[in-house]
Structure formats: structure tokens, C-alpha cells
Amino acid sequence: MEANLEKEIVLSAIQPTGTPTLGNYLGALKNWKEMSADYTCYYAVADLHSITVRPEPKDLRRRTLEMYALLLALGLDPEQNTVFVQSHVPAHAQLAWILNCYTQFGEAARMTQFKDKSEKHPENVNVGLFAYPTLMAADILLYQAHYVPIGADQKQHLEITRDIAERFNGLYGETFRIPAPFIGKAGARVMSLQDPTKKMSKSDTNVKAFISVLDDKDTIVRKIKSAVTDSEARVYYGEGKDGVNNLMGIYACCTGKTNAQIEAEFSGKGYGDFKAAVAEAVVAELAPVKEAFDRLMADKAYLNECMQKGAQKASYVAEKTLRKAMRRVGFYQL
Ligand code: ATP
Ligand code: MG
């Protein structure tokens, strides 16, 4: 335990808005597992963030438990790491309010996620969606994280987190550590299988656009077979070949092969062979996760116990930072 205190701190979170996709897995979750051996890690199921899309209450409850089980299924040890549910640690919402008051309307309005999501759901552009980045900043700053393993789509949110933290530190003195993004090279941006100019999202309404980490073999094969490519029928990485580029990226992540090796492997072959190989590699990568998930979901008592412990460990650290920030701002202390 002693040595743990020396390790650098990592925080990351994932919303329980659906089953994680291959994009979440290759872009973020796979790195979470890899980092968990060398860092003190805090991993959260970001349920507070997820109500910006107003899920059915029963779906939110079920998905929160499933997402939690999935994090453990990835191989994150709940004893060694702190795996918790965001709403179980009230400090997240409390610090987010404070940070809202140190964030300019204009800078939040520039966030591309806000623009994308408001365009997609014009009927529900709520203030929570707008304030997403300040809640995300609170998630990170509460734990004094050194690194945040995220996909490329979250880079802008990490930049605003750094800006807010620097501003606050500048006004009141050192309060928050300035976090750095950790973005893996491969898999940082997995694209939709149906529209490879858009990122793969678990909240996509077209289920053919994404592969879920719990999809069975037949489903994975079918989805990859119907992935949008082009009419050239030659496997190489290039301009205007978004669909093929995306499948190559996925294949590279699952097998460790380089683009040159992949091009050589499929020279003279068509997309049929290529897609079959990609599907096989994805199935091999995800099978152990699905197996562990099924096992964990059968033991709800164990999951609840881990959640409880995770919330306690996370609260202890988060409260410390929250109290410090509140003192700095000038809230009357009892
Ligand atoms: P939603 O559509 O509800 O926002 P999402 O798929 O974007 O879902 P999040 O919970 O927002 O998932 O993000 C979890 C993590 O997965 C983040 O670190 C994010 O950067 C990463 N991520 C999301 N989509 C991709 C993708 N297509 N490729 C790589 N990483 C991704
Ligand atoms: Mg997202």
C-alpha cells in the first residue's frame, strides 16, 4: 500500500449511455487496463453526465450496474484501483458548481461535443449538456490526476479542464494539479461503420454503426461485413478511403500489425477476405471480456460490495480537494 502513494494518478470515466463500443474499448478502456498496473487509478461510471440525454430511469439503473461489471470484466482489480459510480460521490456535483462560476459562457459554447450533440438532439439542448465540460473538469481535478486516458474526441474537454484549473490556481494559489491527456496512438478515434466520417458512438441510434463489446460472434461478423467501404476493392491506407482506413485501424489495434504489414497481407485480395480477418481479430479480442462480464453479472452482491468500497475510497480523496477549493473561494467554514 505504501508504494501506491508514490505512483502517479490517473482518472477516467465512461458514461452508462449504452454498452461500450469497440471505439470506447480501443480508444480508452484498453488503456485503462494497461495503466492500472503502473498508476494509482480512479475509474468512474459517469452516471451524472449521462442524464443529459434523459434515459429511462430503469435503463439508467441497469446500465450503471452493467457498465460497472464491464469495468471489472476488463480486468481492473477493484482492490488495487478505485472503481466507482460518479453519483455515489457528491463532491463531483459540488465542485462542478464552483467551476461553472470560473468558466466563461463563450469558452463552453466552443466545445464541439456540445455543438454535435445539440444538433443531434435539437429537442433537448439542456444546460447540463452545456455544462458537461465543467463536470468533467471536476471529475478530473478532484483526484489531482496527472493523466487522463481518453479518446481523441475528449481532447478539447481536457484542454478546457486545464484552462479552468490554471485560472483557479492563478486566482487562489495552487489548488488543482494540471492534468495531461493520455491518448493512445492506435484506436484513438474509431469511426462509425456506417458513416466512417463520424466517430463510433455507443448512443448511435443505428446499431449497425457500432460494435458493442458484448456483441456475439455472428453479430460482429455481420456488422463488419456490412461496414461501408468504397468501390476500389484494394486494401491500403489512403485519402478518401475512410471506411477501409477505419477497418485497418481496428485490425491494427487488435493484432499489433502495422499498416504496411496489413497492406502486404491483403495485396491481391478483396474486401471480403479483409473483412473476415478483421471480424476474426475483433472476436478474439473481445471474447474474454464478454465471458468475464457474464460471470460478474451473475453476482450482484459482489458488484454492490465493490461499488460501496469504491465510493468510500473515492470520496475520501475527492472530499479533501473539494474542501480545499471551498476554503479558497471563501465559503464560511464551520
Ligand atoms: P456517447 O455517445 O454517449 O457520448 P461515447 O461512445 O462517446 O458515448 P463516452 O462515455 O462519451 O462514450 O466516452 C468514453 C471514452 O471513450 C472517452 O474516453 C472517449 O474519448 C472514448 N471514445 C468514445 N468514442 C470513441 C471512438 N469512436 N474512438 C475512440 N475512443 C472513443
Ligand atoms: Mg461521448
Side-chain angles (χ1 to χ4, degrees):
M1 269 329 265
E2 206 72 48
N4 253 352
L5 298 173
E6 311 278 310
K7 290 182 181 173
E8 288 182 306
I9 300 162
V10 160
L11 173 124
S12 208
I14 183 160
Q15 302 187 68
T17 38
T19 311
T21 66
L22 188 64
N24 302 132
Y25 179 75
L26 298 178
L29 300 173
K30 211 176 162 185
N31 290 327
W32 292 17
K33 160 87 172 113
E34 276 162 22
M35 296 182 98
S36 69
D38 302 323
Y39 298 89
T40 297
C41 295
Y42 296 89
Y43 292 134
V45 176
D47 56 346
L48 294 177
H49 284 285
S50 74
I51 64 167
T52 58
V53 294
R54 202 179 299 161
E56 283 294 328
K58 68 174 189 331
D59 289 343
L60 176 58
R61 263 190 294 276
R62 175 178 50 81
R63 285 184 185 146
T64 301
L65 185 72
E66 284 175 357
M67 186 61 84
Y68 192 86
L70 231 152
L71 296 186
L72 301 194
L74 290 170
L76 299 175
D77 178 350
E79 294 292 329
Q80 226 179 9
N81 308 287
T82 304
V83 187
F84 66 101
V85 175
Q86 189 187 25
S87 68
H88 295 169
V89 182
H92 288 252
Q94 291 172 284
L95 183 63
W97 170 254
I98 296 177
L99 299 181
N100 274 334
C101 303
Y102 296 85
T103 306
Q104 294 306 302
F105 187 89
E107 64 183 332
R110 279 197 294 277
M111 295 296 111
T112 50
Q113 176 177 289
F114 174 67
K115 290 188 223 163
D116 288 352
K117 292 202 169 179
S118 354
E119 241 170 66
K120 256 195 209 161
H121 303 283
E123 74 296 345
N124 186 18
V125 183
N126 56 74
V127 176
L129 190 65
F130 187 72
Y132 189 105
T134 46
L135 179 57
M136 178 161 159
D139 299 339
I140 297 164
L141 300 176
L142 279 173
Y143 299 92
Q144 306 287 350
H146 294 79
Y147 301 107
V148 187
I150 41 170
D153 64 306
Q154 292 300 325
K155 196 164 166 259
Q156 201 185 23
H157 286 161
L158 200 72
E159 275 156 16
I160 198 174
T161 299
R162 292 165 58 96
D163 292 343
I164 298 167
E166 273 163 8
R167 186 173 305 146
F168 194 98
N169 287 351
L171 285 167
Y172 299 112
E174 217 48 36
T175 308
F176 303 119
R177 176 175 284 121
I178 308 300
F182 179 92
I183 301 177
K185 283 178 291 298
R189 194 185 290 276
V190 177
M191 309 309 279
S192 154
L193 298 177
Q194 292 300 313
D195 177 359
T197 63
K198 298 233 161 67
K199 89 169 187 83
M200 185 181 279
S201 267
K202 60 176 134 59
S203 57
D204 202 313
T205 44
N206 180 358
V207 296
K208 283 167 80 183
F210 59 84
I211 289 172
S212 126
V213 299
L214 300 177
D215 277 347
D216 59 27
K217 186 175 170 203
D218 292 347
T219 310
I220 294 173
V221 169
R222 197 160 16 85
K223 285 181 180 174
I224 292 188
K225 218 184 219 172
S226 67
V228 169
T229 47
D230 51 67
S231 54
E232 198 183 12
R234 267 183 61 218
V235 178
Y236 68 97
Y237 194 94
E239 187 108 358
K241 291 184 70 79
D242 296 327
V244 171
N245 294 348
N246 188 35
L247 292 177
M248 282 180 74
I250 291 170
Y251 192 58
C253 265
C254 295
T255 60
K257 290 176 185 168
T258 63
N259 280 346
Q261 286 169 324
I262 300 170
E263 284 165 10
E265 184 178 348
F266 296 99
S267 100
K269 292 183 185 160
Y271 290 159
D273 289 335
F274 175 52
K275 284 179 166 178
V278 176
E280 197 182 317
V282 170
V283 169
E285 179 81 29
L286 297 180
V289 178
K290 182 164 163 50
E291 210 178 293
F293 173 82
D294 290 339
R295 217 175 32 241
L296 283 157
M297 280 303 283
D299 194 351
K300 198 173 157 194
Y302 172 72
L303 291 172
N304 282 340
E305 193 188 307
C306 292
M307 266 188 201
Q308 190 96 45
K309 276 193 208 150
Q312 267 166 14
K313 282 200 280 179
S315 294
Y316 179 78
V317 179
E319 284 285 337
K320 238 163 63 182
T321 304
L322 175 68
R323 277 198 302 271
K324 190 168 165 191
M326 290 180 75
R327 254 197 326 271
R328 299 277 205 205
V329 170
F331 288 118
Y332 190 86
Q333 307 276 308
L334 280 180

